[in-house]
Amino acid sequence: MFELKGRKGIITGAVQGLGYAMAKGLHDAGVELVILDISEKVEEVAEAMASGGSKVHAVKVNLLDRHDLQIGFNKALDHLGGELDILINNAGIHDPKPALDLKMESFDRIIEVNIAAVFQLCRLAGEVMIQRGSGKIINIASVLSYFGGYNAAAYSTSKGAIAQLTKSLSNEWAGSGVNVNAIAPGYFETSLNAFIMQDEARFSQLVARIPAGRFGKPEELVGTVRFLASSASDYLNGVLIPVDGGFLGR
């Protein structure tokens, strides 16, 4: 039921942080992966990860460029022999500023990467998966899909949209055998949250609200992503699964 060996997947933004941990977790379970990332290190990361087992391919792509995204997806699909079982939309950007200080150019970039690119990749993957009659799309939302956050007007807007997109696509595609679900991570020890961890007062306030008493470690997402990528989740559609140390329940 939880077997993943031999399946094929694409993940965005997996050079570091949560994306890397999820990619490594799927690779270790036997999934052949393509990492889509803008980083110059994407080839290096893919090569190092692949040394331990199943194939890992790298495609450098700019998610702000819709044409480049289309080309990158096609290259990824070619690497996988035209087959696709799993898509993980992990890549996301943030510019933590008060709303009055956030430039519209930055707002537009966040919306393009965090929403438009996710929608485009879901459509591209969905077309392949619907033809095959099966597939798993896993979007990475956030606890800010539920809350407004602080100095996060654009980011929380984008993650709220991911929650609704996940539900909407699930309504359309569940009957075709395609499961569309999302993970809503809480506060994790990643570079995205470095500015919070360096702010002693805010860090203490957040940790005090998390029943687990700490920020999460990226590898603690692996179990949830393996579940959603496997046949164990075949009757799960359109849900957001918080992985947050109890933050939402406080």
Side-chain angles (χ1 to χ4, degrees), residues 3-122:
E3 179 63 44
L4 289 170
K5 188 174 182 179
R7 298 202 182 185
K8 300 185 178 187
I10 295 172
I11 180 168
T12 64
V15 163
Q16 62 181 350
L18 300 184
Y20 178 85
M22 290 186 286
K24 184 69 164 57
L26 291 177
H27 166 266
D28 291 348
V31 177
E32 181 180 355
L33 283 174
V34 179
I35 298 173
L36 296 181
D37 203 295
I38 196 171
S39 172
E40 298 293 341
K41 296 182 179 179
V42 62
E43 292 276 0
E44 177 186 335
V45 169
E47 185 176 344
M49 192 181 294
S51 65
S54 55
K55 295 179 181 178
V56 183
H57 313 277
V59 175
K60 189 172 183 296
V61 64
N62 181 5
L63 297 182
L64 285 166
D65 183 330
R66 297 183 186 184
H67 180 65
D68 194 44
L69 191 158
Q70 173 78 64
I71 293 172
F73 179 85
N74 291 343
K75 287 180 180 177
L77 203 59
D78 285 345
H79 280 305
L80 300 175
E83 299 179 7
L84 183 61
D85 302 296
I86 304 159
L87 169 68
I88 303 176
N89 283 307
N90 166 73
I93 58 175
H94 185 17
D95 187 4
K97 288 185 175 69
L100 293 178
D101 295 335
L102 185 70
K103 295 182 183 299
M104 283 306 302
E105 292 83 357
S106 185
F107 183 90
D108 289 342
R109 285 169 57 86
I110 291 168
I111 297 304
E112 186 66 32
V113 172
N114 295 9
I115 304 177
V118 172
F119 179 59
Q120 186 176 354
L121 283 165
C122 282

Side-chain angles (χ1 to χ4, degrees), residues 100-171:
L100 293 178
D101 295 335
L102 185 70
K103 295 182 183 299
M104 283 306 302
E105 292 83 357
S106 185
F107 183 90
D108 289 342
R109 285 169 57 86
I110 291 168
I111 297 304
E112 186 66 32
V113 172
N114 295 9
I115 304 177
V118 172
F119 179 59
Q120 186 176 354
L121 283 165
C122 282
R123 290 192 349 145
L124 292 168
E127 187 173 12
V128 176
M129 292 174 175
I130 289 168
Q131 289 177 354
R132 299 183 68 210
S134 65
K136 305 284 185 175
I137 295 177
I138 304 167
N139 295 323
I140 304 304
S142 168
V143 290
L144 295 193
S145 298
Y146 302 88
F147 296 109
Y150 183 75
N151 289 345
Y155 185 79
S156 61
T157 295
S158 72
K159 292 304 181 178
I162 290 302
Q164 296 305 103
L165 176 63
T166 298
K167 297 171 191 176
S168 183
L169 294 180
S170 175
N171 291 339

Side-chain angles (χ1 to χ4, degrees), residues 194-216:
F195 72 99
I196 297 175
M197 293 185 285
Q198 292 164 6
D199 183 335
E200 186 175 342
R202 189 174 177 204
F203 179 72
S204 296
Q205 289 171 355
L206 284 170
V207 169
R209 177 174 170 160
I210 301 170
R214 61 179 176 83
F215 276 26

